[in-house]
Amino acid sequence: MEAKKVFNFGAGPAKLPQSVLLQAQKELLDYNGLGISVLEMSHRTADFSQILNSTEALLRELLKIPENYKVLFLQGGGSGQFSAVPLNLIGLKEGRCADYIVTGAWSSKAAKEAEKYGNVNVVHPKLDKYTCIPDRSSWTLDPSASYVYYCCNETVHGVEFNFIPDTKDVILVSDMSSNFLSREVDVSKFGLIYAGAQKNVGCAGVTVVIVRQDLLGKALKECPIVFDYQVQAANNSLYNTPPCYSIYIMKLVLEWIKSSGGTEAMEKLSKQKSSLIYDLIDSSNGFYSCPLDVECRSRVNVPFHIGSEDCNEALEKLFLDGASKRGMISLKGHRSVGGIRASLYNAVTLEETRALAAYMNEFLKDHQPQ
């Protein structure tokens, strides 16, 4: 029976490349002639060590990670890192202070969690709506802060930084969960980068942490041992049983990214896909609207409404129903903001994005005011 054609625009867990799913299917019952699945494999075996080491090597190659950085594969998701980051880093300087740039739901939650462990300074005036990045002239960075934290792409609100904040001598920490490996990045400008795999580089269950070695060993005494970066680095992410299958899937996705042209190719494709949708929105004479400042529109999470501030919920429901009938799933906006959201992660193809644009055009012609 032929599989139903589905266009998955979900925000995460998100679409995986077809070739990755086929490879995982092929190896599910018998990995590499061993007669067992990776799901059954001990994390202490040489075979799993090969999977783990290959995954790290691919990440280092694709991101050009310097040698003085450790790569960790942890559990707990991005939300776990809301706690792990301050537990490991907020004690770097006396006073337990950290600067946070808050531009959406996830950086807001991260800042709130960090308040449990120290003093949090939101470096800019409070935003009434998450539709922009506050002008850098309004930032009040604290030179005595242990680190500066930001989320470089907000999945819910669609705010993406197109620059790396200049934090002078204070280390920079970034949540890159939703645009990880969708563009090139200079890792050396960061003290720590983390990313949940389930959007661009794999399935749910594993979170990548890339941390500069000199920042290890500074954890607060109350830090749970599984979140202690030094402990995990010393044990090659094997202090506790890691998410073995999720790491294996990540390896397959990284191999796919490499064979597809690497991070540079993913970035080029990302711009093409997002431009298709934004250009259509901008040329719709207000039928579609995007609430974001143009300078910070996300390439990977495109939120939009039918209508402007007073969105037409009835038409949006009709749009989503029509999309579903065409096999286009997970286009409903996050429950906190409503509307429509198209997530265009690495595995979403240009052809699938064109199909969405064609449907948007068709819907516009059928429902625009006469």
Side-chain angles (χ1 to χ4, degrees):
M1 182 177 175
E2 188 175 346
K4 178 183 177 182
K5 179 65 175 175
V6 171
F7 304 83
N8 185 356
F9 297 103
K15 183 187 177 186
L16 288 165
Q18 182 77 359
S19 60
V20 166
L21 292 172
L22 290 172
Q23 183 70 15
Q25 180 187 52
K26 178 183 177 183
E27 297 179 336
L28 181 62
L29 300 181
D30 182 3
Y31 175 73
N32 205 26
L34 297 175
I36 62 169
S37 172
V38 176
L39 290 164
E40 308 168 285
M41 186 183 293
S42 168
H43 60 294
R44 300 295 180 186
T45 62
D47 295 290
F48 182 73
S49 291
Q50 193 276 331
I51 292 172
L52 185 67
N53 294 336
S54 294
T55 308
E56 178 177 342
L58 283 162
L59 266 177
R60 287 188 175 277
E61 179 182 354
L62 289 167
L63 282 173
K64 302 179 179 66
I65 300 173
E67 290 184 4
N68 63 322
Y69 283 75
K70 291 291 187 180
V71 177
L72 309 177
F73 300 96
L74 305 182
Q75 292 159 307
S79 296
Q81 293 306 308
F82 296 169
S83 305
V85 167
L87 282 165
N88 280 272
L89 302 182
I90 207 165
L92 287 171
K93 296 180 183 178
E94 292 183 10
R96 287 195 183 186
C97 175
D99 282 350
Y100 276 70
I101 304 168
V102 178
T103 54
W106 297 116
S107 52
S108 176
K109 289 182 178 182
K112 185 175 181 180
E113 181 66 15
E115 289 175 353
K116 296 178 181 178
Y117 310 108
N119 300 309
V120 168
N121 170 44
V122 177
V123 307
H124 52 80
K126 185 178 179 180
L127 297 171
D128 294 327
K129 295 181 179 180
Y130 296 127
T131 59
C132 68
I133 296 170
D135 191 279
R136 280 169 275 184
S137 65
S138 70
W139 296 9
T140 54
L141 295 167
D142 183 354
S144 66
S146 293
Y147 60 87
V148 179
Y149 177 107
Y150 78 113
C151 177
C152 68
N153 186 84
E154 289 281 359
T155 314
V156 172
H157 291 90
V159 174
E160 183 176 24
F161 282 72
N162 60 17
F163 64 93
I164 297 175
D166 180 7
T167 57
K168 308 301 180 187
D169 296 324
V170 180
I171 68 166
L172 185 60
V173 173
S174 185
D175 172 1
M176 293 190 181
S177 293
S178 51
N179 62 0
F180 192 58
L181 281 173
S182 73
R183 67 180 184 188
E184 295 188 289
V185 63
D186 184 352
V187 174
S188 69
K189 292 185 179 296
F190 297 84
L192 184 144
I193 292 167
Y194 73 82
Q198 69 274 12
K199 300 176 187 295
N200 275 305
V201 292
C203 63
V206 60
T207 303
V208 177
V209 173
I210 302 167
V211 57
R212 213 171 64 208
Q213 283 182 229
D214 63 298
L215 302 178
L216 301 176
K218 315 291 185 181
L220 303 179
K221 64 180 181 180
E222 56 266 42
C223 180
I225 197 164
V226 293
F227 277 164
D228 189 320
Y229 297 146
Q230 184 182 43
V231 171
Q232 290 287 6
N235 287 274
N236 195 30
S237 302
L238 297 173
Y239 174 79
N240 59 311
T241 305
C244 300
Y245 198 75
S246 296
I247 294 170
Y248 158 73
I249 294 293
M250 182 188 288
K251 180 179 85 77
L252 297 184
V253 175
L254 295 177
E255 289 171 345
W256 171 80
I257 290 175
K258 181 179 177 179
S259 67
S260 301
T263 312
E264 183 181 359
M266 295 297 108
E267 182 170 6
K268 181 180 178 181
L269 186 61
S270 180
K271 290 176 180 176
Q272 286 180 287
K273 292 184 294 188
S274 58
S275 292
L276 272 174
I277 305 303
Y278 285 125
D279 288 349
L280 196 154
I281 291 170
D282 292 341
S283 64
S284 70
N285 293 318
F287 183 83
Y288 297 114
S289 65
C290 176
L292 301 168
D293 284 2
V294 173
E295 294 79 12
C296 67
R297 285 177 171 180
S298 170
R299 298 163 300 113
V300 290
N301 303 110
V302 181
F304 62 95
H305 289 280
I306 297 178
S308 56
E309 293 278 337
D310 301 317
C311 58
N312 191 321
E313 293 184 4
L315 269 185
E316 288 182 350
K317 184 179 185 306
L318 195 63
F319 177 93
L320 292 169
D321 289 344
S324 180
K325 289 175 183 176
R326 289 164 174 77
M328 299 178 185
I329 66 170
S330 300
L331 280 166
K332 188 174 182 179
H334 191 270
R335 60 188 178 276
S336 65
V337 295
I340 302 161
R341 173 181 55 180
S343 293
L344 307 174
Y345 298 133
N346 285 344
V348 175
T349 67
L350 187 58
E351 291 70 29
E352 289 168 330
T353 310
R354 284 176 177 148
L356 173 60
Y359 170 57
M360 290 174 67
N361 241 328
E362 176 188 330
F363 193 86
L364 167 63
K365 290 175 183 177
D366 290 344
H367 298 283
Q368 64 183 337
Q370 299 300 317

